Amino acid sequence: MKVIETIAEMKRVRRELSGAVGLVPTMGYLHEGHLELVRRAKAENPWAVVSIFVNPTQFGPKEDFAAYPRDIPRDLAMLETVKTDFVFIPPVAEMYPPRFSTWVDLEKVTERLEGATRPGHFRGVATVCAKLFNIVEPTKAYFGQKDAQQCVVIKKMVAELNMNLDIVIVPTVREPDGLAMSSRNTYLKPDERKAAVVLYQALNLAQQMWSQGEKDAEKIRRAMIDHIKKQPLAIIDYVSIADAETLEELKEVKPLAVVSLAVKIGRPRLLDNIILEN
Ligand code: AMP
C-alpha cells in the first residue's frame, strides 16, 4: 500500500496504472462501512485508491470541521487489511489554493433534506468529488447508500457533466443493533448510543407498513415520528418519504421511494435511510 500526499504524485502514479481503477472517497476515521466500499472496489477493479480528505468546503461555519475525528495511522492500518493499493491524502492548501473560486453547484435536488439544513454542503461535496475524479480518473467510484442524497447528487453530476466514470452505490453497513455505522457515532455518550437505535426502528416501522400495503406517506411519516418521540434524547430534524430519483416528497408512496431521516441525539445529527421497493 502506497500513501500519496500530493496531487502531482497522484496524477503521476495514475498515469502508470493500466486496467480499471476503483476510487473510494472518504473523510477518514474509518469504520466497517468504509472498508466494505474498499472491498467492493478491490473486487471489481485491479486497483483501489482510497482518498482521505476532511473537506472544509462541505462544512458550514458552525459545523464540526475542526473537531471532525481524525486518526491517519489507524486508518492506514485498517486500509492495509482490505488490500488497498493507494491512499491519497491531499493537503487542504493544495485542494483549495488561495483565491480558489470554481464550484459545482447542482440545483433543486440539493435544496431539500440535508441541503435545507446545511446550505452549501452539496456544493462542497460535488466540487471535491469532481476534483477527486479529475485527479484520480477512476473507472468507478464507490459511495455508501447511508448518504442517500449524496448518492443522488453525485450520480446526477456525473451524468449531466458527462464524466467518464461509473458510480457504484454500496448498501449501508450497520452495527449489530441496526445503527448505521458513521464516524460521527464516536460523539455519542453511552446512553445516547443506546437511544440511537430509534432511527433504525423507525425505518423498520416504515418498511413494515409499506410491506403490509400502506401507501399513504403521511401515515407512515406520522407513525415514524410518534415512535421517535418516545425516545426523550432524540430531536427530529426531518422524516422524509421521497421519490428516490428526484427526492421530491411523496403523498402516495410508490417505488422506488427513499425513506430518510435526520435526528439529533446528543452532539451528532444522525442520518439513515432505506429504499422501499416493490
Ligand atoms: P465519509 O467518510 O463519512 O464521508 O464517508 C465516505 C463514504 O463512506 C461515503 O460514500 C459514505 O456514504 C460511505 N459510508 C459511510 N458510512 C457508511 C455505512 N455505514 N455503510 C456504507 N457506506 C458508508
Tab-separated table of all heavy atoms in Angstrom, residues 135-188:
chain	number	residue	atom	x	y	z
A	135	ILE	N	-8.489	14.157	-10.671
A	135	ILE	CA	-7.119	13.835	-10.246
A	135	ILE	C	-6.849	12.332	-10.400
A	135	ILE	O	-5.820	11.922	-10.936
A	135	ILE	CB	-6.893	14.263	-8.771
A	135	ILE	CG1	-6.982	15.783	-8.644
A	135	ILE	CG2	-5.540	13.750	-8.253
A	135	ILE	CD1	-7.161	16.285	-7.212
A	136	VAL	N	-7.800	11.512	-9.939
A	136	VAL	CA	-7.582	10.056	-9.882
A	136	VAL	C	-8.034	9.361	-11.182
A	136	VAL	O	-7.565	8.270	-11.495
A	136	VAL	CB	-8.312	9.451	-8.644
A	136	VAL	CG1	-8.152	7.941	-8.580
A	136	VAL	CG2	-7.795	10.090	-7.349
A	137	GLU	N	-8.928	10.006	-11.915
A	137	GLU	CA	-9.500	9.401	-13.137
A	137	GLU	C	-9.926	7.950	-12.910
A	137	GLU	O	-9.445	7.031	-13.604
A	137	GLU	CB	-8.512	9.496	-14.301
A	137	GLU	CG	-8.245	10.941	-14.718
A	137	GLU	CD	-7.377	11.021	-15.961
A	137	GLU	OE1	-7.646	10.275	-16.925
A	137	GLU	OE2	-6.426	11.819	-15.962
A	138	PRO	N	-10.823	7.721	-11.947
A	138	PRO	CA	-11.245	6.344	-11.666
A	138	PRO	C	-12.175	5.809	-12.754
A	138	PRO	O	-12.866	6.574	-13.422
A	138	PRO	CB	-12.004	6.471	-10.350
A	138	PRO	CG	-12.547	7.867	-10.369
A	138	PRO	CD	-11.531	8.701	-11.108
A	139	THR	N	-12.176	4.487	-12.892
A	139	THR	CA	-13.135	3.815	-13.768
A	139	THR	C	-14.496	3.783	-13.074
A	139	THR	O	-15.537	3.969	-13.698
A	139	THR	CB	-12.663	2.362	-14.034
A	139	THR	OG1	-11.260	2.387	-14.280
A	139	THR	CG2	-13.402	1.742	-15.197
A	140	LYS	N	-14.447	3.514	-11.765
A	140	LYS	CA	-15.659	3.505	-10.948
A	140	LYS	C	-15.352	4.206	-9.626
A	140	LYS	O	-14.232	4.107	-9.122
A	140	LYS	CB	-16.096	2.069	-10.624
A	140	LYS	CG	-16.526	1.253	-11.832
A	140	LYS	CD	-17.002	-0.119	-11.375
A	140	LYS	CE	-17.391	-0.984	-12.563
A	140	LYS	NZ	-17.870	-2.310	-12.138
A	141	ALA	N	-16.355	4.884	-9.073
A	141	ALA	CA	-16.203	5.444	-7.720
A	141	ALA	C	-17.326	4.894	-6.857
A	141	ALA	O	-18.452	4.693	-7.327
A	141	ALA	CB	-16.234	6.964	-7.750
A	142	TYR	N	-16.992	4.643	-5.599
A	142	TYR	CA	-17.882	3.903	-4.693
A	142	TYR	C	-18.393	4.819	-3.581
A	142	TYR	O	-17.600	5.490	-2.912
A	142	TYR	CB	-17.122	2.702	-4.098
A	142	TYR	CG	-16.778	1.714	-5.181
A	142	TYR	CD1	-15.690	1.943	-6.026
A	142	TYR	CD2	-17.582	0.610	-5.417
A	142	TYR	CE1	-15.403	1.082	-7.063
A	142	TYR	CE2	-17.294	-0.270	-6.456
A	142	TYR	CZ	-16.211	-0.029	-7.278
A	142	TYR	OH	-15.939	-0.883	-8.318
A	143	PHE	N	-19.729	4.816	-3.413
A	143	PHE	CA	-20.368	5.650	-2.395
A	143	PHE	C	-21.334	4.802	-1.581
A	143	PHE	O	-21.866	3.802	-2.077
A	143	PHE	CB	-21.110	6.822	-3.057
A	143	PHE	CG	-20.182	7.849	-3.650
A	143	PHE	CD1	-19.669	7.674	-4.931
A	143	PHE	CD2	-19.789	8.955	-2.915
A	143	PHE	CE1	-18.784	8.604	-5.477
A	143	PHE	CE2	-18.908	9.885	-3.451
A	143	PHE	CZ	-18.406	9.715	-4.722
A	144	GLY	N	-21.592	5.213	-0.341
A	144	GLY	CA	-22.473	4.465	0.548
A	144	GLY	C	-23.917	4.947	0.461
A	144	GLY	O	-24.169	6.153	0.459
A	145	GLN	N	-24.849	4.003	0.428
A	145	GLN	CA	-26.281	4.323	0.453
A	145	GLN	C	-26.646	5.108	1.718
A	145	GLN	O	-27.604	5.868	1.740
A	145	GLN	CB	-27.098	3.026	0.361
A	145	GLN	CG	-28.604	3.197	0.460
A	145	GLN	CD	-29.169	4.114	-0.610
A	145	GLN	OE1	-28.699	4.118	-1.758
A	145	GLN	NE2	-30.164	4.914	-0.246
A	146	LYS	N	-25.839	4.933	2.763
A	146	LYS	CA	-26.019	5.676	4.016
A	146	LYS	C	-26.296	7.163	3.783
A	146	LYS	O	-27.118	7.765	4.451
A	146	LYS	CB	-24.749	5.492	4.860
A	146	LYS	CG	-24.474	6.496	5.940
A	146	LYS	CD	-25.213	6.143	7.180
A	146	LYS	CE	-24.961	7.054	8.371
A	146	LYS	NZ	-24.358	8.314	8.153
A	147	ASP	N	-25.575	7.755	2.816
A	147	ASP	CA	-25.789	9.166	2.481
A	147	ASP	C	-26.589	9.238	1.187
A	147	ASP	O	-26.051	9.469	0.103
A	147	ASP	CB	-24.432	9.875	2.358
A	147	ASP	CG	-23.679	9.828	3.674
A	147	ASP	OD1	-24.061	10.551	4.600
A	147	ASP	OD2	-22.722	9.029	3.803
A	148	ALA	N	-27.901	9.020	1.322
A	148	ALA	CA	-28.763	8.807	0.146
A	148	ALA	C	-28.775	10.025	-0.778
A	148	ALA	O	-28.689	9.881	-2.004
A	148	ALA	CB	-30.181	8.486	0.611
A	149	GLN	N	-28.861	11.213	-0.196
A	149	GLN	CA	-28.938	12.407	-1.046
A	149	GLN	C	-27.605	12.640	-1.760
A	149	GLN	O	-27.579	13.051	-2.922
A	149	GLN	CB	-29.321	13.630	-0.190
A	149	GLN	CG	-29.716	14.835	-1.013
A	149	GLN	CD	-30.249	15.965	-0.153
A	149	GLN	OE1	-30.135	15.927	1.074
A	149	GLN	NE2	-30.831	16.978	-0.787
A	150	GLN	N	-26.508	12.342	-1.072
A	150	GLN	CA	-25.184	12.459	-1.692
A	150	GLN	C	-25.100	11.550	-2.926
A	150	GLN	O	-24.558	11.938	-3.959
A	150	GLN	CB	-24.121	12.084	-0.670
A	150	GLN	CG	-22.719	12.023	-1.195
A	150	GLN	CD	-21.702	11.954	-0.065
A	150	GLN	OE1	-21.389	12.954	0.555
A	150	GLN	NE2	-21.188	10.772	0.216
A	151	CYS	N	-25.652	10.338	-2.812
A	151	CYS	CA	-25.641	9.410	-3.950
A	151	CYS	C	-26.391	10.003	-5.138
A	151	CYS	O	-25.921	9.947	-6.284
A	151	CYS	CB	-26.287	8.078	-3.563
A	151	CYS	SG	-25.358	7.172	-2.320
A	152	VAL	N	-27.560	10.595	-4.865
A	152	VAL	CA	-28.365	11.192	-5.937
A	152	VAL	C	-27.597	12.341	-6.584
A	152	VAL	O	-27.528	12.464	-7.822
A	152	VAL	CB	-29.729	11.683	-5.376
A	152	VAL	CG1	-30.499	12.482	-6.417
A	152	VAL	CG2	-30.554	10.498	-4.878
A	153	VAL	N	-26.996	13.174	-5.752
A	153	VAL	CA	-26.272	14.360	-6.241
A	153	VAL	C	-25.082	13.950	-7.108
A	153	VAL	O	-24.870	14.482	-8.205
A	153	VAL	CB	-25.816	15.231	-5.033
A	153	VAL	CG1	-24.808	16.291	-5.451
A	153	VAL	CG2	-27.028	15.877	-4.364
A	154	ILE	N	-24.299	12.988	-6.632
A	154	ILE	CA	-23.089	12.592	-7.370
A	154	ILE	C	-23.450	11.919	-8.695
A	154	ILE	O	-22.845	12.202	-9.737
A	154	ILE	CB	-22.187	11.665	-6.513
A	154	ILE	CG1	-21.703	12.401	-5.252
A	154	ILE	CG2	-21.008	11.118	-7.315
A	154	ILE	CD1	-20.865	13.624	-5.508
A	155	LYS	N	-24.465	11.057	-8.663
A	155	LYS	CA	-24.881	10.397	-9.914
A	155	LYS	C	-25.361	11.427	-10.934
A	155	LYS	O	-25.070	11.306	-12.120
A	155	LYS	CB	-26.025	9.428	-9.618
A	155	LYS	CG	-25.595	8.076	-9.126
A	155	LYS	CD	-26.800	7.173	-9.294
A	155	LYS	CE	-26.824	6.005	-8.397
A	155	LYS	NZ	-28.160	5.475	-8.197
A	156	LYS	N	-26.094	12.423	-10.455
A	156	LYS	CA	-26.640	13.452	-11.353
A	156	LYS	C	-25.502	14.303	-11.924
A	156	LYS	O	-25.488	14.604	-13.118
A	156	LYS	CB	-27.616	14.317	-10.554
A	156	LYS	CG	-28.578	15.140	-11.381
A	156	LYS	CD	-29.708	15.634	-10.476
A	156	LYS	CE	-30.450	16.822	-11.067
A	156	LYS	NZ	-31.122	16.519	-12.331
A	157	MET	N	-24.537	14.652	-11.097
A	157	MET	CA	-23.389	15.442	-11.563
A	157	MET	C	-22.631	14.680	-12.653
A	157	MET	O	-22.296	15.244	-13.705
A	157	MET	CB	-22.452	15.750	-10.389
A	157	MET	CG	-21.150	16.399	-10.826
A	157	MET	SD	-20.000	16.694	-9.472
A	157	MET	CE	-19.268	15.074	-9.273
A	158	VAL	N	-22.369	13.400	-12.384
A	158	VAL	CA	-21.602	12.584	-13.337
A	158	VAL	C	-22.353	12.477	-14.667
A	158	VAL	O	-21.762	12.605	-15.743
A	158	VAL	CB	-21.301	11.195	-12.725
A	158	VAL	CG1	-20.845	10.204	-13.781
A	158	VAL	CG2	-20.244	11.333	-11.626
A	159	ALA	N	-23.676	12.292	-14.594
A	159	ALA	CA	-24.473	12.170	-15.816
A	159	ALA	C	-24.519	13.503	-16.560
A	159	ALA	O	-24.259	13.566	-17.766
A	159	ALA	CB	-25.891	11.704	-15.474
A	160	GLU	N	-24.802	14.580	-15.836
A	160	GLU	CA	-25.052	15.857	-16.512
A	160	GLU	C	-23.769	16.531	-16.990
A	160	GLU	O	-23.793	17.303	-17.948
A	160	GLU	CB	-25.855	16.787	-15.595
A	160	GLU	CG	-27.268	16.232	-15.388
A	160	GLU	CD	-28.164	17.109	-14.524
A	160	GLU	OE1	-27.697	18.149	-14.013
A	160	GLU	OE2	-29.344	16.744	-14.371
A	161	LEU	N	-22.652	16.246	-16.333
A	161	LEU	CA	-21.368	16.810	-16.790
A	161	LEU	C	-20.585	15.801	-17.646
A	161	LEU	O	-19.413	16.017	-17.944
A	161	LEU	CB	-20.520	17.286	-15.604
A	161	LEU	CG	-21.078	18.481	-14.810
A	161	LEU	CD1	-20.098	18.910	-13.724
A	161	LEU	CD2	-21.380	19.668	-15.717
A	162	ASN	N	-21.263	14.690	-18.006
A	162	ASN	CA	-20.665	13.692	-18.910
A	162	ASN	C	-19.310	13.214	-18.421
A	162	ASN	O	-18.340	13.122	-19.199
A	162	ASN	CB	-20.530	14.274	-20.334
A	162	ASN	CG	-21.808	14.950	-20.777
A	162	ASN	OD1	-21.939	16.178	-20.685
A	162	ASN	ND2	-22.768	14.163	-21.190
A	163	MET	N	-19.210	12.952	-17.141
A	163	MET	CA	-17.932	12.478	-16.601
A	163	MET	C	-17.733	11.003	-16.958
A	163	MET	O	-18.697	10.251	-17.041
A	163	MET	CB	-17.916	12.683	-15.088
A	163	MET	CG	-17.908	14.147	-14.700
A	163	MET	SD	-17.980	14.310	-12.900
A	163	MET	CE	-17.487	16.013	-12.710
A	164	ASN	N	-16.457	10.639	-17.130
A	164	ASN	CA	-16.151	9.295	-17.646
A	164	ASN	C	-15.916	8.278	-16.540
A	164	ASN	O	-14.821	7.751	-16.394
A	164	ASN	CB	-14.910	9.355	-18.534
A	164	ASN	CG	-15.209	10.090	-19.820
A	164	ASN	OD1	-16.259	9.890	-20.424
A	164	ASN	ND2	-14.315	10.971	-20.203
A	165	LEU	N	-16.931	8.054	-15.712
A	165	LEU	CA	-16.796	7.002	-14.709
A	165	LEU	C	-18.182	6.505	-14.333
A	165	LEU	O	-19.185	7.173	-14.608
A	165	LEU	CB	-16.051	7.509	-13.460
A	165	LEU	CG	-16.816	8.435	-12.519
A	165	LEU	CD1	-16.178	8.399	-11.140
A	165	LEU	CD2	-16.850	9.854	-13.031
A	166	ASP	N	-18.216	5.335	-13.707
A	166	ASP	CA	-19.465	4.790	-13.183
A	166	ASP	C	-19.505	4.998	-11.683
A	166	ASP	O	-18.475	4.868	-11.001
A	166	ASP	CB	-19.557	3.276	-13.465
A	166	ASP	CG	-19.690	2.996	-14.950
A	166	ASP	OD1	-20.319	3.814	-15.649
A	166	ASP	OD2	-19.143	1.969	-15.397
A	167	ILE	N	-20.698	5.276	-11.191
A	167	ILE	CA	-20.890	5.423	-9.737
A	167	ILE	C	-21.543	4.146	-9.219
A	167	ILE	O	-22.560	3.706	-9.742
A	167	ILE	CB	-21.770	6.649	-9.425
A	167	ILE	CG1	-21.109	7.929	-9.926
A	167	ILE	CG2	-22.078	6.735	-7.918
A	167	ILE	CD1	-19.743	8.224	-9.327
A	168	VAL	N	-20.931	3.554	-8.202
A	168	VAL	CA	-21.459	2.325	-7.599
A	168	VAL	C	-21.927	2.654	-6.171
A	168	VAL	O	-21.179	3.248	-5.397
A	168	VAL	CB	-20.367	1.224	-7.542
A	168	VAL	CG1	-20.920	-0.051	-6.906
A	168	VAL	CG2	-19.815	0.946	-8.935
A	169	ILE	N	-23.165	2.269	-5.876
A	169	ILE	CA	-23.727	2.539	-4.543
A	169	ILE	C	-23.704	1.242	-3.730
A	169	ILE	O	-24.193	0.207	-4.186
A	169	ILE	CB	-25.175	3.065	-4.651
A	169	ILE	CG1	-25.255	4.272	-5.597
A	169	ILE	CG2	-25.730	3.398	-3.265
A	169	ILE	CD1	-24.416	5.459	-5.206
A	170	VAL	N	-23.138	1.324	-2.538
A	170	VAL	CA	-22.965	0.143	-1.675
A	170	VAL	C	-23.953	0.228	-0.495
A	170	VAL	O	-24.098	1.304	0.106
A	170	VAL	CB	-21.500	0.085	-1.159
A	170	VAL	CG1	-21.288	-1.100	-0.228
A	170	VAL	CG2	-20.535	0.019	-2.353
A	171	PRO	N	-24.648	-0.892	-0.191
A	171	PRO	CA	-25.628	-0.871	0.902
A	171	PRO	C	-25.022	-0.425	2.236
A	171	PRO	O	-23.827	-0.624	2.486
A	171	PRO	CB	-26.111	-2.325	0.998
A	171	PRO	CG	-25.794	-2.935	-0.317
A	171	PRO	CD	-24.589	-2.204	-0.854
A	172	THR	N	-25.863	0.132	3.087
A	172	THR	CA	-25.426	0.645	4.399
A	172	THR	C	-24.986	-0.499	5.318
A	172	THR	O	-25.705	-1.488	5.469
A	172	THR	CB	-26.591	1.414	5.058
A	172	THR	OG1	-26.996	2.448	4.160
A	172	THR	CG2	-26.185	2.005	6.393
A	173	VAL	N	-23.820	-0.335	5.915
A	173	VAL	CA	-23.319	-1.316	6.892
A	173	VAL	C	-23.748	-0.850	8.283
A	173	VAL	O	-23.610	0.334	8.619
A	173	VAL	CB	-21.783	-1.445	6.811
A	173	VAL	CG1	-21.264	-2.424	7.856
A	173	VAL	CG2	-21.370	-1.885	5.413
A	174	ARG	N	-24.288	-1.789	9.064
A	174	ARG	CA	-24.889	-1.441	10.359
A	174	ARG	C	-24.212	-2.156	11.518
A	174	ARG	O	-23.627	-3.215	11.341
A	174	ARG	CB	-26.379	-1.827	10.343
A	174	ARG	CG	-27.152	-1.114	9.266
A	174	ARG	CD	-28.618	-1.528	9.175
A	174	ARG	NE	-29.251	-0.731	8.131
A	174	ARG	CZ	-29.614	0.532	8.283
A	174	ARG	NH1	-29.474	1.120	9.463
A	174	ARG	NH2	-30.126	1.215	7.274
A	175	GLU	N	-24.346	-1.570	12.703
A	175	GLU	CA	-23.933	-2.228	13.943
A	175	GLU	C	-24.925	-3.363	14.215
A	175	GLU	O	-26.013	-3.386	13.637
A	175	GLU	CB	-23.963	-1.226	15.112
A	175	GLU	CG	-23.076	-0.008	14.939
A	175	GLU	CD	-21.593	-0.308	15.148
A	175	GLU	OE1	-21.246	-1.465	15.481
A	175	GLU	OE2	-20.779	0.604	14.939
A	176	PRO	N	-24.562	-4.297	15.125
A	176	PRO	CA	-25.473	-5.421	15.381
A	176	PRO	C	-26.898	-4.990	15.769
A	176	PRO	O	-27.860	-5.654	15.404
A	176	PRO	CB	-24.796	-6.172	16.540
A	176	PRO	CG	-23.341	-5.864	16.375
A	176	PRO	CD	-23.271	-4.467	15.836
A	177	ASP	N	-27.064	-3.856	16.436
A	177	ASP	CA	-28.425	-3.422	16.810
A	177	ASP	C	-29.116	-2.624	15.703
A	177	ASP	O	-30.243	-2.166	15.884
A	177	ASP	CB	-28.401	-2.613	18.117
A	177	ASP	CG	-27.729	-1.249	17.968
A	177	ASP	OD1	-27.127	-0.979	16.908
A	177	ASP	OD2	-27.794	-0.450	18.921
A	178	GLY	N	-28.463	-2.433	14.568
A	178	GLY	CA	-29.099	-1.769	13.436
A	178	GLY	C	-28.620	-0.346	13.197
A	178	GLY	O	-28.865	0.222	12.132
A	179	LEU	N	-27.925	0.263	14.154
A	179	LEU	CA	-27.447	1.635	13.941
A	179	LEU	C	-26.490	1.675	12.740
A	179	LEU	O	-25.547	0.889	12.671
A	179	LEU	CB	-26.724	2.142	15.206
A	179	LEU	CG	-26.078	3.532	15.078
A	179	LEU	CD1	-27.119	4.625	14.894
A	179	LEU	CD2	-25.191	3.836	16.282
A	180	ALA	N	-26.740	2.595	11.818
A	180	ALA	CA	-25.850	2.740	10.665
A	180	ALA	C	-24.482	3.216	11.146
A	180	ALA	O	-24.390	4.149	11.946
A	180	ALA	CB	-26.441	3.746	9.686
A	181	MET	N	-23.422	2.561	10.662
A	181	MET	CA	-22.076	2.986	11.074
A	181	MET	C	-21.788	4.382	10.543
A	181	MET	O	-22.181	4.729	9.431
A	181	MET	CB	-21.046	2.007	10.538
A	181	MET	CG	-21.128	0.688	11.252
A	181	MET	SD	-19.714	-0.333	10.843
A	181	MET	CE	-20.143	-1.783	11.771
A	182	SER	N	-21.110	5.182	11.365
A	182	SER	CA	-20.748	6.545	10.979
A	182	SER	C	-19.579	7.002	11.839
A	182	SER	O	-19.510	6.658	13.026
A	182	SER	CB	-21.951	7.470	11.202
A	182	SER	OG	-21.527	8.814	11.199
A	183	SER	N	-18.681	7.783	11.228
A	183	SER	CA	-17.545	8.319	12.005
A	183	SER	C	-18.074	9.167	13.158
A	183	SER	O	-17.458	9.254	14.218
A	183	SER	CB	-16.650	9.170	11.110
A	183	SER	OG	-16.277	8.433	9.964
A	184	ARG	N	-19.222	9.821	12.957
A	184	ARG	CA	-19.774	10.711	13.996
A	184	ARG	C	-20.420	9.935	15.146
A	184	ARG	O	-20.747	10.547	16.170
A	184	ARG	CB	-20.774	11.686	13.377
A	184	ARG	CG	-20.115	12.758	12.517
A	184	ARG	CD	-21.088	13.859	12.130
A	184	ARG	NE	-20.457	14.983	11.462
A	184	ARG	CZ	-20.420	15.162	10.141
A	184	ARG	NH1	-20.976	14.281	9.331
A	184	ARG	NH2	-19.824	16.225	9.625
A	185	ASN	N	-20.598	8.608	15.020
A	185	ASN	CA	-21.133	7.839	16.157
A	185	ASN	C	-20.201	7.918	17.357
A	185	ASN	O	-20.635	7.705	18.487
A	185	ASN	CB	-21.343	6.369	15.778
A	185	ASN	CG	-22.491	6.186	14.794
A	185	ASN	OD1	-23.233	7.132	14.513
A	185	ASN	ND2	-22.622	4.979	14.258
A	186	THR	N	-18.922	8.234	17.120
A	186	THR	CA	-17.966	8.331	18.241
A	186	THR	C	-18.316	9.498	19.171
A	186	THR	O	-17.844	9.537	20.286
A	186	THR	CB	-16.510	8.525	17.738
A	186	THR	OG1	-16.519	9.635	16.839
A	186	THR	CG2	-15.994	7.313	17.019
A	187	TYR	N	-19.121	10.445	18.688
A	187	TYR	CA	-19.555	11.550	19.554
A	187	TYR	C	-20.587	11.104	20.590
A	187	TYR	O	-20.868	11.829	21.540
A	187	TYR	CB	-20.210	12.662	18.728
A	187	TYR	CG	-19.331	13.418	17.756
A	187	TYR	CD1	-19.848	13.850	16.536
A	187	TYR	CD2	-18.015	13.748	18.058
A	187	TYR	CE1	-19.081	14.574	15.632
A	187	TYR	CE2	-17.245	14.474	17.166
A	187	TYR	CZ	-17.776	14.883	15.951
A	187	TYR	OH	-17.033	15.610	15.066
A	188	LEU	N	-21.215	9.926	20.387
A	188	LEU	CA	-22.339	9.512	21.247
A	188	LEU	C	-21.862	9.040	22.616
A	188	LEU	O	-20.958	8.205	22.712
A	188	LEU	CB	-23.116	8.372	20.570
A	188	LEU	CG	-23.886	8.704	19.287
A	188	LEU	CD1	-24.313	7.410	18.585
A	188	LEU	CD2	-25.092	9.583	19.585
